[in-house]
Amino acid sequence: MAFSLHGVHVPHRKNTANSSAVYVDPPKTVTIPMSMHIGAPAKPCVKVGDLVKVGTLIAEAGGTVSVPMHASVSGKVVKIADYLTSAGSTVPAIVIESDGEMTPDEALTPPVVDSKDSLIQAIKNAGVVGLGGAGFPTHVKLNVDPARIEQLVINCAECEPYVTSDTYTMLTRTEDMKTALEAFKTYMGIKHIVIGIESNKKAAIKSMMQLMKDTCQGCKVDVKVLPAKYPQGGEKVLIYHTTGKVVPTGKLPIDVGCVVLNCTTLAAIGSYLATGMPLVKKCVTVDGGAVKNPQNVIVPVGMSMADVFEACGGLTSEPSKVIYGGPMMGVTVPDTSAPIMKNTNAILALTAKETKLPATTPCIRCGSCTNTCPFGLAPAEIAKAYDRKDAVKLEELSLATCMECGCCSFICPANRPLVQTNKLAKVFVREEKAKEEGKK
Amino acid sequence: MSKQLTLSVSPHIHSGRSTWRIMLDVIIALLPATVAGCVIFGLRALAVIALTVASAVGFEALFNLITKKKQTIGDLSAIVTGLLLALNLPANIPLWQCVVGALFAIIVVKCLFGGLGCNIVNPAITARVFMLVAFGSMTKAALPTIVDTVAGATPLAPEAATSLGDLFLGLHGGAIGETCAVALLIGFIYLLVRRVISWHLPVVFIGTVFAVSFFLEGMNAVAALSAILSGGLLIGAIFMATDYVTSPATAWGKVLFGVGAGVITVLIRYYGVYPEGVSFAILLMNIVTPFIDSWTKHKVFGKGGKKA
């Protein structure tokens, strides 16, 4: 690989990197939305009043691209209410009142896996989605002809500031990761495993080196230590930096022979294969200037942010923004009743000072946006084309290539809303195309 | 929670860079040359600088007031334009001409085109060229007041013969801020360290002038060195050509700009009627910058080319 892609140096703020994760007391209730993933919402299969235990199936996959949901606490289903997702759609959410016991469902047993199909089915039954943040159902991603997979890339980059929950996985859940990798080797015929990790995680690198040493039987392994430069964990960026392969715009990693799994996703699969316990709890980084005791905690999926903050000593000041995930790509919430999702790796309560953005001033054509864009796009030009509502020019500028990493907005000295405009422009182009289709 | 949480699209943090800070860095980088100019050319130089800067800021404030636009002098760009223009003027210029120059730079070149970021040519350079054409005083370079000198013209005029040492220290005739190479290079290093500019444009510009002069002077390295230390090349290449608004965005674009400006500079110096060609060269390259920009775009990842 001759060049590395551009990006920005974000402040790391990995305050919780050395904290071991703490199990918190179960909350009084959990709210489990039927959509915590990309694809069709799950269909509830319990009624109000049903008794459930940890791991009990409460909703079935609502389609091919969908996953089942499981109870994350033991107790009683008290409500099936409407829930407004951050994407703007309304889905049912199952509210479970906890009995405080956290009794696991005794019917759960490790799945019988003896083929690729049974492995994929097991991953589906585990309810696993992409835990790096995207939330794409993992079984769908893996349901490809194994002969097409040249490399299995494990995403250990964790390039967002604050977030350290993947670091926790790498340091403590190597057994689960190993179980999953062995299954992939046996039933998917994986011949080459590549780990991509940022250089600022020394202990985790050591741990991953050991894991690869233990897993190398009959398989090529690589641990690629990459510069701690955002967005190192962007899927296409990581593939390029670990394998040298370029995923063309509009194509998937599998089109160049790669499958990328986040390390925590891998651990969740391994955990299910070993114990039969589906994805019902998450290690979440709780941080931000408004949090009293920033730390990693292990919480049941569906626990409200407010309860999690409370478990971390509460908030010391009024946060300005509360977000799911890191500050570069995270999603703000209107209030802290929002639950922990399967793909929540961090919740941040940021003070006004931490999220202070400078005033927006005219573009001075400094070129920083295009010179930091990992994909070589020209965000300032895209913004101008969007202002003109020029759909043809927008396509010419390869708008669709944008992964919305936010480097352009982060670096812009005029604080122009560049990545934000890209998102709007994508919607605009989609609408224009739909209009064109309508005319035909 | 009593207070409402802010909802916004990511990213939620910012690098902290700002236009204001960039302009401040340029001003800081120009300070050595400003001080050197005042030392070399005396109090008259200080008067020219103060008046030009004040006029530039005043005109921008006035324009915004009259056209009922948001006041923009706080971004410091008017100070940069005023200071750059002043450093490009001889110390003995009639003071009223400084005011006219500032008026031209700010009102005609910058504000009428839409203000900061919208001008197609560099205001200070364009005003300098305007003054060169309009006022005879521009060609009669002031002489250093701190040393006895007999030579009356800029080192680029045929009769001039200045030692390399004097050229380096700026002890020769010329515009206030253009003569002291040491001070300009200190500013260059500051801008590089602060990452305000990249090395590409200045180095290629100056390198091209060196190479072409070296060739035209019959492979004479001393003459070529003298060529890059004379006239307005250093201040032009380091501070004026690198103006974000009017120079290409990508590294290859900057290289092209540098080569073009370097060649034009030497051609004017050797074959033109004016002794100096840096301003004209930069102005011409400003005009072709949109074309350079469209030729030198980064290749988009996953679209044919491998990467930027």
Side-chain angles (χ1 to χ4, degrees):
Chain A
M1 182 189 16
F3 299 101
S4 61
L5 301 176
H6 291 291
V8 292
H9 291 283
V10 292
H12 295 312
R13 298 185 190 161
K14 304 263 186 193
N15 313 315
T16 52
N18 299 319
S19 88
S20 64
V22 181
Y23 279 88
V24 301
D25 291 335
K28 287 200 177 67
T29 60
V30 291
T31 304
I32 300 176
M34 292 301 99
S35 185
M36 301 192 252
H37 53 265
I38 293 172
K43 290 199 183 91
C45 58
V46 287
K47 306 180 302 293
V48 172
D50 283 2
L51 293 178
V52 294
K53 289 176 179 167
V54 179
T56 306
L57 184 77
I58 55 171
E60 283 159 352
T64 323
V65 183
S66 185
V67 287
M69 303 288 172
H70 305 85
S72 58
V73 293
S74 55
K76 195 164 79 178
V77 176
V78 290
K79 202 159 69 172
I80 299 182
D82 279 349
Y83 176 80
L84 181 66
T85 68
S86 56
S89 57
T90 303
V91 296
I94 297 172
V95 182
I96 304 167
E97 198 174 82
S98 168
D99 59 12
E101 300 293 324
M102 295 300 274
T103 321
D105 194 327
E106 58 280 350
L108 298 176
T109 50
V112 179
V113 171
D114 52 13
S115 65
K116 182 212 155 197
D117 289 341
S118 54
L119 176 62
I120 300 287
Q121 188 58 44
I123 292 169
K124 182 175 182 180
N125 292 346
V128 175
V129 299
L131 301 182
F136 188 77
T138 306
H139 67 93
V140 180
K141 188 193 260 188
L142 286 167
N143 202 4
V144 292
D145 176 5
R148 292 177 69 195
I149 305 176
E150 291 163 24
Q151 281 108 2
L152 174 64
V153 181
I154 310 300
N155 191 343
C156 301
E158 201 172 52
C159 55
E160 278 265 14
Y162 295 98
V163 188
T164 62
S165 46
D166 280 350
T167 303
Y168 168 80
T169 299
M170 289 184 272
L171 292 177
T172 61
R173 300 186 67 189
T174 45
E175 271 312 306
D176 284 338
M177 290 176 74
K178 186 167 186 292
T179 307
L181 287 176
E182 292 298 343
F184 285 134
K185 276 162 59 180
T186 313
Y187 303 111
M188 304 274 297
I190 300 291
K191 290 276 176 295
H192 188 181
I193 300 168
V194 189
I195 284 188
I197 183 167
E198 280 191 347
S199 59
N200 60 348
K201 300 170 186 65
K202 298 278 180 268
I205 292 169
K206 230 166 149 188
S207 172
M208 289 301 99
M209 294 266 191
Q210 187 58 46
L211 171 69
M212 286 296 98
K213 211 181 270 171
D214 298 343
T215 321
C216 65
Q217 200 68 38
C219 177
K220 198 176 154 205
V221 292
D222 274 312
V223 177
K224 298 268 186 191
V225 178
L226 307 166
K229 193 176 186 186
Y230 181 87
Q232 195 64 267
E235 193 168 60
K236 291 181 177 182
V237 176
L238 190 75
I239 290 172
Y240 182 66
H241 286 164
T242 51
T243 68
K245 291 175 177 175
V246 175
V247 182
T249 299
K251 298 276 182 174
L252 295 170
I254 190 65
D255 293 314
V256 295
C258 289
V259 167
V260 184
L261 289 180
N262 167 273
C263 57
T264 304
T265 311
L266 191 70
I269 295 169
S271 164
Y272 180 74
L273 295 178
T275 65
M277 179 57 76
L279 179 58
V280 292
K281 60 176 195 274
K282 271 308 295 284
C283 172
V284 174
T285 299
V286 185
D287 203 343
V291 177
K292 187 165 183 220
N293 305 316
Q295 59 187 301
N296 283 332
V297 291
I298 294 170
V299 298
V301 168
M303 185 169 172
S304 77
M305 282 185 172
D307 287 343
V308 179
F309 285 133
E310 213 43 58
C312 296
L315 299 176
T316 52
S317 59
E318 293 273 359
S320 161
K321 286 182 186 176
V322 173
I323 58 180
Y324 279 122
M328 288 301 287
M329 287 186 83
V331 178
T332 53
V333 295
D335 62 77
T336 52
S337 67
I340 299 298
M341 305 278 195
K342 286 179 178 177
N343 59 344
T344 303
N345 50 19
I347 57 171
L348 307 178
L350 302 173
T351 58
K353 197 173 152 227
E354 279 172 293
T355 57
K356 192 170 184 295
L357 303 176
T360 295
T361 51
C363 170
I364 52 171
R365 290 185 21 90
C366 67
S368 298
C369 53
T370 184
N371 290 331
T372 54
C373 176
F375 293 163
L377 298 171
E381 277 195 65
I382 291 175
K384 277 184 205 154
Y386 177 67
D387 285 345
R388 295 197 302 271
K389 296 285 181 288
D390 186 343
V392 177
K393 183 71 181 174
L394 284 170
E395 288 212 53
E396 213 179 285
L397 291 167
S398 311
L399 172 68
T401 306
C402 174
M403 63 174 150
E404 302 173 11
C405 65
C407 288
C408 48
S409 294
F410 177 81
I411 205 76
C412 178
N415 192 31
R416 312 283 312 163
L418 296 167
V419 69
Q420 296 87 336
T421 305
N422 284 7
K423 291 180 190 187
L424 288 172
K426 281 182 182 176
V427 175
F428 166 71
V429 169
R430 227 174 6 245
E431 285 169 358
E432 287 297 297
K433 272 190 179 159
K435 266 189 230 163
E436 284 292 308
E437 291 295 312
K439 273 182 208 156
K440 274 173 199 167
Chain B
M1 209 163 296
S2 55
K3 214 174 68 181
Q4 281 254 295
L5 293 173
T6 307
L7 288 177
S8 70
V9 181
S10 60
H12 307 293
I13 52 173
H14 189 266
S15 58
R17 293 171 82 234
S18 69
T19 302
W20 177 85
R21 179 68 226 200
I22 289 168
M23 294 299 163
L24 182 66
D25 275 334
V26 176
I27 294 169
I28 292 171
L30 280 169
L31 282 182
T34 308
V35 172
C38 292
V39 170
I40 295 167
F41 296 106
L43 276 180
R44 185 64 210 266
L46 190 62
V48 169
I49 293 168
L51 183 65
T52 314
V53 171
S55 309
V57 176
F59 284 128
E60 184 161 312
L62 204 62
F63 183 89
N64 288 328
L65 218 60
I66 293 170
T67 57
K68 297 193 174 70
K69 285 184 191 299
K70 221 179 120 201
Q71 197 47 267
T72 51
I73 52 172
D75 65 24
L76 305 185
S77 66
I79 298 181
V80 170
T81 299
L83 185 56
L84 272 174
L85 178 60
L87 295 180
N88 273 284
L89 303 175
N92 55 359
I93 188 168
L95 291 177
W96 66 270
Q97 292 182 357
C98 301
V99 179
V100 175
L103 176 101
F104 189 83
I106 294 294
I107 303 293
V108 179
V109 186
K110 188 179 174 191
C111 291
L112 287 182
F113 277 83
L116 179 64
C118 299
N119 48 301
I120 51 170
V121 287
N122 179 284
I125 273 288
T126 315
R128 184 184 198 238
V129 168
F130 161 74
M131 293 170 78
L132 199 61
V133 177
F135 308 131
S137 57
M138 288 291 289
T139 49
K140 295 191 206 86
L143 298 177
T145 54
I146 54 162
V147 286
D148 293 325
T149 342
V150 279
T154 81
L156 286 172
E159 67 271 27
T162 313
S163 75
L164 277 183
D166 280 354
L167 279 176
F168 207 64
L169 293 173
L171 302 177
H172 57 86
I176 295 167
E178 72 179 19
T179 63
C180 184
V182 183
L184 292 166
L185 290 174
I186 292 171
F188 183 38
I189 292 166
Y190 178 80
L191 290 181
L192 289 180
V193 170
R194 292 282 307 164
R195 291 170 188 254
V196 171
I197 60 170
S198 71
W199 59 269
H200 303 84
L201 207 165
V203 169
V204 173
F205 190 170
I206 296 165
T208 304
V209 170
F210 181 87
V212 182
S213 303
F214 181 69
F215 179 74
L216 289 178
E217 291 287 346
M219 313 298 165
N220 183 340
V222 177
L225 204 56
S226 161
I228 62 169
L229 292 174
S230 311
L233 180 62
L234 290 184
I235 192 170
I238 296 167
F239 291 98
M240 325 267 289
T242 53
D243 169 23
Y244 290 150
V245 181
T246 54
S247 67
T250 64
W252 280 112
K254 293 181 209 296
V255 168
L256 263 186
F257 187 112
V259 170
V263 169
I264 297 171
T265 297
V266 181
L267 289 181
I268 294 178
R269 279 184 178 183
Y270 281 83
Y271 305 111
V273 289
Y274 286 96
E276 177 56 309
V278 172
S279 309
F280 293 102
I282 295 174
L283 185 57
L284 283 169
M285 294 312 288
N286 281 168
I287 293 166
V288 296
T289 288
F291 299 100
I292 299 180
D293 262 334
S294 66
W295 298 330
T296 54
K297 273 197 202 118
H298 291 303
K299 283 210 176 72
V300 172
F301 184 87
K303 287 248 176 180
K306 208 170 196 185
K307 69 142 269 151

